[in-house]
Amino acid sequence: DPNGCYSGLPDVDPWGEERDARLYAGPWPVVAHPPCSRWCRLAGLVEARWGHKRGDDGGCFESALKSVRTFGGVLEHPAYSDAWPHFGLPAPIYAGWQKGLCGGWSCHINQVDYGHPAKKATWLYAFGVELPRLKFCLRPDRESTALVSWCGNTTKKFDKRARVGKKTASATPIEFRDILLNMARSVTK
């Protein structure tokens, strides 16, 4: 997002869709947010409704993963992303970082713990960085003040939490952004 939370920072060079991050050739560490609709839990719905094949993201995730492994950094994706098993990434655990045979690390966090209105369960893959202490906790959906909702997810009859739209749902809280940036800044070659 050219107007997102990474824009305007003095030491950050955002690569939005118009620059095509698949063309990134370094040399700086990365914070990667590849598109998720073809890999997330709703990928089957996306395929059924719009015909976009599961995993067919034009090589975006694969390119982001390659950049993270080549230049160091961190990749963020929705929890339970089908990209993890597809690319052989270490399955995240709920209580810390999980090391993979590839030399990278994965974890499960919830962005609600960093200021997002919805739970926004998230998986991270880090490579070549100092691993930060994060707020690791398996959180029930009921603990968030809002729900991500553009698919009509069902809730209990009297659940009156706000439903956030796509723009808010995809936003990265500032506190979480800063953690990801600091991870990328910690890369030593």
Side-chain angles (χ1 to χ4, degrees):
D1 179 1
N3 301 313
C5 68
Y6 292 94
S7 296
L9 298 176
D11 63 342
V12 175
D13 182 18
W15 279 60
E17 191 174 342
E18 73 288 346
R19 287 179 74 185
D20 193 350
R22 294 172 295 182
L23 302 175
Y24 182 68
W28 309 112
V30 299
V31 174
H33 294 273
C36 63
S37 66
R38 311 291 168 80
W39 296 104
C40 70
R41 287 174 139 180
L42 297 175
L45 174 68
V46 170
E47 186 172 347
R49 186 173 281 177
W50 293 286
H52 304 298
K53 299 291 183 207
R54 187 183 308 252
D56 184 10
D57 68 352
C60 290
F61 189 94
E62 183 175 22
S63 176
L65 180 59
K66 181 180 177 191
S67 290
V68 167
R69 287 179 170 163
T70 302
F71 307 111
V74 60
L75 185 153
E76 179 267 353
H77 230 228
Y80 314 104
S81 170
D82 289 339
W84 253 247
H86 182 84
F87 290 99
L89 301 179
I93 57 176
Y94 296 108
W97 290 95
Q98 179 69 28
K99 186 169 186 172
L101 296 174
C102 59
W105 297 80
S106 291
C107 74
H108 178 116
I109 60 95
N110 298 292
Q111 291 190 41
V112 69
D113 294 326
Y114 299 93
H116 199 280
K119 178 179 168 181
K120 199 172 179 185
T122 301
W123 284 357
L124 299 177
Y125 175 77
F127 195 91
V129 303
E130 291 179 22
L131 300 174
R133 288 184 160 222
L134 297 173
K135 300 171 187 174
F136 299 113
C137 182
L138 180 57
R139 294 211 176 279
D141 288 336
R142 68 181 175 275
E143 290 187 9
S144 63
T145 59
L147 297 168
V148 171
S149 178
W150 57 86
C151 297
N153 51 336
T154 58
T155 60
K156 295 196 187 291
K157 185 176 181 179
F158 298 105
D159 192 337
K160 301 294 183 200
R161 288 179 289 174
R163 293 177 181 265
V164 299
K166 194 171 187 175
K167 184 175 180 160
T168 300
S170 65
T172 301
I174 299 301
E175 180 184 357
F176 189 57
R177 173 206 68 190
D178 291 346
I179 289 168
L180 299 179
L181 288 172
N182 286 334
M183 289 175 72
R185 290 176 182 130
S186 77
V187 171
T188 58
K189 299 272 177 171

